C-alpha cells in the first residue's frame, strides 16, 4: 500500500528490516512522539497499513504512548502486516522527513528516503515542543574561547522536561567513599564499588523501596569500579590491588565468584572495568596507563585479547564501548580520549584521538565518558570543569560539538538509554541535567539535584530513564525519580 507517492517496501516485495534492540527502541520512541493519540495514529495505521486502530492496543489519555507503541509494534510484527518495521519507518519519515534518528536507521538499513508527505501537520504537542527548541537555540549565546565552545542557553525548562525529585532515603553502606555505581540492564539490581573492599548490592526492582543484598567480599583492596555484563548475569569488579574479578549474579542474593581474577595483583591500581555491549569483551585500565582486553565469550575460559597496551594518556580513569561493540574509548589523566578498534578479535588498533582541550586549569583529567545510544556522540566529564560533547561518527576524525563550563570539577556523566537526557556531577555534590537531543545545542533544564555532601563520583540512569542514581564520597548513594 502506498500513500502520496511514498514507496513502501512491502509493496515492492522487500523483506522487513532487522532492527537491533536499540534501533527498535528509537523507532518506537519516535512513533510515540509523532503519533501520541489514536487520532494522530489513525492515518498511519488504518489508511497506510490497513489495520484499524480499534484492533490494536489503544492510545488514550493517561497512557504512555511509548508503551502502547511497543504493544502495537509487537502485534504488527506477529504476521498481521507485511514488512511492518520497514513500513512504519518509511511512513514516519514521510511525515517527519528531518527526523535525524529515523534517518540514521534508514541509512544503516538501506531504506530509501521517502518523498515528504504534503500538508501533513505534526501533532500540536510535538510541534510546540520543537518550536520552543528552535526559540531556545536562537536565544543561545555562543562564546568561543581558547578553542573550546561554551554554550550558555537561557532557556532552562520545558513542559516536556522531566522533573526529578528525591526517591526515599539515601542508601548507606559502610560510611566510606563510594567510587562507582552501576545498574543491571533490567534495572533490578544496583551495584556499588566502595572503599570498604566489598561490592555493595541492592535490589531496586522497586526503586522506592530498595533492599540491601549480601555484599560481595573476598577481593583484596578497595573496589574502584563495577560493571554489569549485557545480560545482567555477570558482574565485574576492579580493585586498587590491580585485580579484576568476575561474579555470577544470576541470583544477586546468592552471588558467587567466577574463577580466579582475570588480572593478578601487580602493584598497580585497576581504576576502571567495562563490558562491551555485545558481551564478548571486557576491558580494564590501571594507574600505569595500561589497558587489557579479555574475550569472555566463555566465562569459564576467559582469554586475553592481544597484549596489554598503553594509551599514552596517563592513568586510565574510564573506558566505554560504542553500542555495536566495535570501538572502545579510553579516557585518561592527561585530558585526552583515545579511540580503539576492537572489532577484529585481535590486538586493539588505535583510531582517532580527542585531544586535550585548552582551559585555565592545569589538571585536565577526563574522569568519565559515555556514548550516546547511536554511538555517534561521546560525552566527557573533566577535572577542568568541562562537560564536552564530541562527534565520533567518524572515529578517525572526531571533533568537538559543544563545551559546557561548570562551577567545579566534573567526575561523572551518564546518558539515558534513549539518548535524550544527560546527567553530570562532580566536586560540588550537585547533579545537573541537560537535554542533548541535539548534541550541538545541549540545553540545561531543571534545578541541580542536591543531597550529597561531598564529590559525586558516578551517576547512572535506570533503563527507563526516569530514575537516576548517584554515588558520593560521603558514603551514600541517592536516587531521584521523575515518574
Amino acid at each position: 500500500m502506498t500513500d502520496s507517492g511514498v514507496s513502501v517496501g512491502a509493496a515492492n516485495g522487500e523483506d522487513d528490516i532487522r532492527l537491533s534492540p536499540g534501533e527498535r527502541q528509537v523507532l518506537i520512541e519516535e512513533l510515540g512522539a509523532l503519533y501520541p493519540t489514536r487520532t494522530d495514529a489513525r492515518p498511519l495505521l488504518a489508511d497506510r497499513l490497513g489495520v484499524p486502530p480499534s484492533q490494536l492496543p489503544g492510545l488514550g489519555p493517561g497512557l504512555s504512548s511509548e508503551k502502547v507503541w511497543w504493544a502495537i509494534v509487537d502485534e504488527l510484527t506477529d504476521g498481521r502486516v507485511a514488512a511492518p518495521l520497514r513500513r512504519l519507518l518509511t511512513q514516519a519519515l514521510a511525515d517527519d522527513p528531518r527526523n535525524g534518528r529515523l534517518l540514521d536507521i534508514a541509512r544503516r538499513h538501506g531504506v530509501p528516503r521517502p518523498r515528504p508527505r504534503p500538508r501533513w501537520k505534526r501533532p500540536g504537542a510535538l510541534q510546540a515542543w520543537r518550536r520552543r527548541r528552535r526559540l531556545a537555540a536562537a536565544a543561545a549565546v555562543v562564546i568561543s574561547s581558547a578553542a573550546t565552545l561554551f554554550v550558555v542557553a537561557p532557556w532552562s525548562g520545558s513542559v516536556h522536561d522531566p522533573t526529578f525529585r528525591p526517591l526515599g532515603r539515601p542508601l548507606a553502606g559502610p560510611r566510606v567513599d563510594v567510587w562507582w555505581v552501576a545498574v543491571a540492564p533490567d534495572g533490578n539490581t544496583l551495584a556499588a564499588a566502595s572503599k570498604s573492599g566489598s561490592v555493595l548490592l541492592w535490589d531496586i526492582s522497586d526503586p522506592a523501596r530498595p533492599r540491601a543484598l549480601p555484599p560481595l567480599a573476598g577481593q583484596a583492596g578497595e573496589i574502584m569500579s563495577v560493571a554489569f555484563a549485557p545480560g545482567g548475569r555477570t558482574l565485574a569488579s576492579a580493585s586498587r590491588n590491580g585485580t579484576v574479578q568476575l561474579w555470577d549474579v544470576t541470583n544477586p542474593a546468592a552471588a558467587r565468584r567466577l574463577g580466579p581474577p582475570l588480572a593478578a595483583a601487580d602493584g598497580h591500581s585497576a581504576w576502571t572495568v567495562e563490558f562491551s555491549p555485545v558481551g564478548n569483551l571486557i576491558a580494564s585500565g590501571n594507574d600505569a596507563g595500561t589497558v587489557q582486553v579479555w574475550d569472555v565469550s566463555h566465562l569459564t575460559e576467559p582469554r586475553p585479547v592481544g597484549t596489554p597496551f598503553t594509551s599514552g594518556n596517563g592513568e586510565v580513569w574510564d573506558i566505554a564501548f560504542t553500542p555495536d561493540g566495535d570501538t572502545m574509548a579510553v579516557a585518561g589523566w592527561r585530558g585526552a580520549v583515545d579511540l580503539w578498534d576492537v572489532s577484529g578479535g585481535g590486538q586493539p588498533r588505535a583510531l582517532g584521538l580527542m585531544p586535550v582541550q585548552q582551559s585555565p586549569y592545569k589538571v585536565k583529567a577526563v574522569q568519565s565518558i559515555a556514548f550516546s545510544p547511536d554511538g555517534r556522540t561521546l560525552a566527557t566529564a573533566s577535572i577542568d570543569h568541562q562537560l564536552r560533547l564530541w562527534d565520533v561518527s567518524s572515529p578517525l576524525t572526531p571533533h568537538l560539538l559543544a563545551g559546557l563550563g561548570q562551577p567545579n570539577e566534573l567526575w561523572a556523566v551518564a546518558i539515558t538509554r534513549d539518548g535524550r537526557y544527560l546527567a553530570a556531577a562532580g566536586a560540588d555534590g550537585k547533579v545537573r541535567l541537560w537535554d542533548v537531543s541535539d548534541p550541538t545545542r545541549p540545553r540545561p533544564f531543571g534545578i541541580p539535584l542536591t543531597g550529597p555532601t561531598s564529590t559525586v563520583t558516578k551517576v547512572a540512569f535506570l533503563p527507563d530513564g526516569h530514575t537516576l542514581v548517584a554515588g558520593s564520597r560521603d558514603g551514600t548513594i541517592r536516587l531521584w525519580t521523575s515518574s
Side-chain angles (χ1 to χ4, degrees):
M1 179 179 295
T2 60
D3 180 75
S4 301
V6 176
S7 174
V8 178
N12 296 328
E14 295 178 89
D15 293 333
D16 202 10
I17 53 179
R18 293 179 177 270
L19 300 183
S20 70
E23 292 172 329
R24 194 181 181 103
Q25 173 79 24
V26 169
L27 174 61
I28 287 171
E29 287 169 359
E30 295 304 318
L31 289 171
L34 285 166
Y35 315 104
T37 69
R38 179 170 293 196
T39 299
D40 297 318
R42 183 178 298 279
L44 170 67
L45 296 173
D47 300 344
R48 299 167 209 152
L49 270 69
V51 181
S54 60
Q55 297 181 16
L56 295 168
L59 292 154
L63 298 176
S64 164
S65 59
E66 185 180 322
K67 289 182 179 178
V68 175
W69 271 105
W70 269 110
I72 290 174
V73 169
D74 283 344
E75 290 217 11
L76 293 179
T77 53
D78 200 25
R80 179 176 292 204
V81 175
L85 296 178
R86 179 185 290 273
R87 296 177 69 181
L88 285 170
L89 176 61
T90 303
Q91 297 295 341
L93 275 174
D95 284 339
D96 193 6
R98 295 184 179 181
N99 191 309
R101 302 176 87 204
L102 296 182
L103 285 170
D104 283 344
I105 296 175
R107 280 193 290 266
R108 283 196 291 268
H109 293 274
V111 176
R113 185 170 182 169
R115 191 168 71 230
R117 184 169 289 108
R119 296 184 301 278
W120 184 79
K121 185 178 180 181
R122 288 192 185 95
L126 182 65
Q127 191 176 27
W129 174 70
R130 289 189 173 171
R131 183 166 57 250
R132 279 191 294 273
R133 280 186 59 190
R134 288 195 299 271
L135 290 173
V141 179
V142 181
I143 305 172
S144 180
S145 173
T148 299
L149 179 68
F150 297 88
V151 180
V152 183
W155 182 260
S156 61
S158 160
V159 295
H160 294 274
D161 291 330
T163 299
F164 284 85
R165 57 179 175 79
L167 184 61
R169 301 178 63 182
L171 306 181
R175 301 293 292 189
V176 293
D177 305 41
V178 173
W179 294 120
W180 209 281
V181 292
V183 177
D186 63 5
N188 290 333
T189 308
L190 170 65
S194 81
K195 201 171 183 178
S196 68
S198 299
V199 177
L200 309 178
L201 296 177
W202 284 268
D203 180 336
I204 56 169
S205 51
D206 180 355
R209 298 175 180 81
R211 181 171 57 88
L213 299 172
L216 307 182
Q219 184 179 3
E222 293 179 41
I223 307 302
M224 305 306 299
S225 174
V226 287
F228 282 97
R233 296 183 177 183
T234 307
L235 179 78
S237 57
S239 168
R240 186 181 281 273
N241 77 345
T243 61
V244 175
Q245 180 67 56
L246 298 180
W247 306 84
D248 181 346
V249 290
T250 304
N251 177 4
R256 62 183 181 86
R257 194 183 308 214
L258 282 173
L262 297 183
D266 59 1
H268 292 289
S269 298
W271 290 143
T272 182
V273 65
E274 187 59 87
F275 279 96
S276 160
V278 180
N280 62 322
L281 299 177
I282 187 173
S284 177
N286 67 19
D287 63 354
T290 301
V291 178
Q292 175 67 69
V293 179
W294 292 269
D295 185 330
V296 289
S297 301
H298 303 286
L299 289 171
T300 57
E301 299 177 359
R303 61 175 182 83
V305 176
T307 57
F309 61 93
T310 302
S311 70
N313 196 18
E315 299 182 26
V316 176
W317 288 107
D318 202 3
I319 292 173
F321 289 86
T322 52
D324 61 11
D326 288 346
T327 304
M328 178 177 69
V330 178
W333 173 254
R334 293 178 183 151
V337 178
D338 304 354
L339 298 175
W340 298 80
D341 181 355
V342 291
S343 63
Q347 183 72 29
R349 181 173 61 89
L351 295 172
L353 172 71
M354 287 171 282
V356 178
Q357 296 297 291
Q358 295 184 28
S359 77
Y361 300 95
K362 181 177 180 180
V363 177
K364 306 177 189 298
V366 178
Q367 289 281 96
S368 182
I369 53 179
F371 278 104
S372 61
D374 61 7
R376 300 172 65 87
T377 305
L378 182 72
T380 63
S382 304
I383 292 295
D384 67 355
H385 300 209
Q386 292 296 314
L387 171 66
R388 297 181 176 97
L389 298 176
W390 301 80
D391 182 340
V392 291
S393 54
S394 175
L396 293 174
T397 55
H399 64 272
L400 186 66
L401 295 173
L404 302 164
Q406 299 304 300
N408 284 275
E409 297 177 358
L410 286 183
W411 283 55
V413 66
I415 299 175
T416 54
R417 186 173 287 186
D418 64 6
R420 293 187 177 183
Y421 300 114
L422 177 149
D428 66 358
K430 297 177 180 179
V431 181
R432 293 173 171 83
L433 300 163
W434 286 264
D435 180 334
V436 290
S437 301
D438 179 353
T440 65
R441 294 183 176 88
R443 177 178 60 81
F445 69 89
I447 60 174
L449 307 180
T450 60
T453 58
S454 185
T455 300
V456 172
T457 54
K458 202 68 178 176
V459 290
F461 284 99
L462 267 64
D464 64 5
H466 298 304
T467 305
L468 177 66
V469 181
S472 170
R473 297 194 68 174
D474 68 5
T476 66
I477 298 169
R478 296 172 188 264
L479 290 83
W480 293 267
T481 183
S482 65
S483 58

